[in-house]
Amino acid sequence: MDTANQWRALSDEIARCNRCRLCEGRRNVVVGRGSLAAGAMLVGEGPGEQEDIQGLPFVGRAGKLLDLALEGLMYGPDDFYIANIVKCRPPGNRAPLDDEAEACLPFLRRQFMLIKPAVLVCMGATAAKHIIGKERTITKLRGEWMERKGWLIMPTFHPAALLRDESKKALMWHDLKKAKQRLDSVRAGADPGLRAGAEPGFRAGAEPGLRAGAEPGLRAGVEPGLRAGDSPQKR
Ligand code: URA
């Protein structure tokens, strides 16, 4: 199947998904937005009210702030793709439960494998928990490059956190700038990056390291530090 057909098949599957309880309350599934050939993939938590209504991620207040940052940092429309850990809105905008995230992560993995972004930006504690699986708060993780099974990852704040605390704006801006610079140098060939596919395991269709259970001790639910205060309130 060619890439366009793989995307079509994936979107159809997500649209029909009933793998977890979140399908019961959704108006729309929210697959992603941006370029399917993006060099940077940004991952948030889950759709809020506006996203549920419009079927697109980050279209509410937090999304407008994110768009402003991306535009200001010269991310072009072909540079980024935005998705979430879960594709359906959690009730009351709560953080996705671990079983909901685990049910949905295979879709995100397939999105990664189709886009093969040079850099992956985890926005907020929920994305960091399920993608990186570190037992540290986003405040400690942010701004540092890390690698998981061939993916180059930059954790940063969730844009909604910036709406509550202005002092985080400059930090997130700094992180997104760092990610753009890395993307540019990978594209220019000045930095070999860790592009998925550069490693034989990925070429063979192996999964990126997003499985909660793939890394012992990093299972969902063992990281209280990444849940409570860090969870974004969607607007
Ligand atoms: N917050 C998220 O995490 N994702 C969205 O799509 C919107 C708000």
Side-chain angles (χ1 to χ4, degrees):
M1 219 192 302
D2 65 18
T3 309
N5 277 321
Q6 288 183 57
W7 270 112
R8 215 163 291 128
L10 178 57
S11 303
D12 287 351
E13 223 179 290
I14 295 173
R16 291 192 310 270
C17 178
N18 57 5
R19 290 181 189 179
C20 83
R21 62 187 80 70
L22 296 184
C23 68
E24 290 159 17
R26 74 178 174 223
R27 273 175 273 204
N28 285 293
V29 295
V30 176
V31 178
R33 71 172 163 98
S35 167
L36 303 184
M41 186 156 165
L42 291 87
V43 181
E45 179 176 291
E49 186 182 23
Q50 278 309 311
E51 290 76 20
D52 181 49
I53 291 171
Q54 298 185 43
L56 290 168
F58 285 97
V59 289
R61 277 180 68 207
K64 302 231 175 326
L65 197 56
L66 176 63
D67 282 344
L68 270 180
L70 293 173
E71 209 180 307
L73 291 165
M74 314 297 279
Y75 281 79
D78 292 336
D79 288 334
F80 64 88
Y81 182 85
I82 306 176
N84 281 308
I85 292 291
V86 292
K87 310 267 183 267
C88 299
R89 183 189 183 195
N93 293 340
R94 64 161 167 76
L97 303 179
D98 292 334
D99 64 327
E100 294 161 354
E102 278 178 40
C104 213
L105 279 170
F107 292 135
L108 188 62
R109 285 189 203 108
R110 282 164 68 187
Q111 288 175 295
F112 284 168
M113 295 309 288
L114 285 168
I115 294 178
K116 293 191 167 60
V119 300
L120 182 52
V121 179
C122 292
M123 300 186 295
T126 299
K129 172 183 172 179
H130 292 288
I131 293 177
I132 302 164
K134 282 271 189 183
E135 293 183 54
R136 286 161 66 201
T137 61
I138 195 72
T139 307
K140 298 230 172 73
L141 289 173
R142 61 146 285 274
E144 296 298 326
W145 286 111
M146 42 194 79
E147 184 262 330
R148 284 288 179 282
K149 303 199 175 169
W151 301 98
L152 199 49
I153 303 175
M154 164 72 66
T156 191
F157 292 119
H158 190 284
L162 279 48
L163 295 170
R164 297 191 299 273
D165 178 357
E166 288 254 329
S167 71
K168 295 194 166 106
K169 265 189 193 167
L171 298 170
M172 189 190 192
W173 188 275
H174 171 271
D175 299 344
L176 290 176
K177 184 172 175 186
K178 209 163 153 182
K180 176 67 166 60
Q181 285 168 341
R182 188 81 187 250
L183 169 60
D184 288 344
S185 64
V186 171
R187 278 188 169 153
D191 177 339
L194 290 170
R195 224 179 168 71
E199 296 204 345
F202 285 115
R203 238 183 255 289
E207 288 178 342
L210 287 176
R211 263 208 126 70
E215 303 182 52
L218 298 174
R219 279 202 106 79
V222 295
E223 301 154 74
L226 283 179
R227 291 203 69 109
D230 282 337
S231 186
Q233 302 285 312
K234 281 165 233 95
R235 328 235 152 184

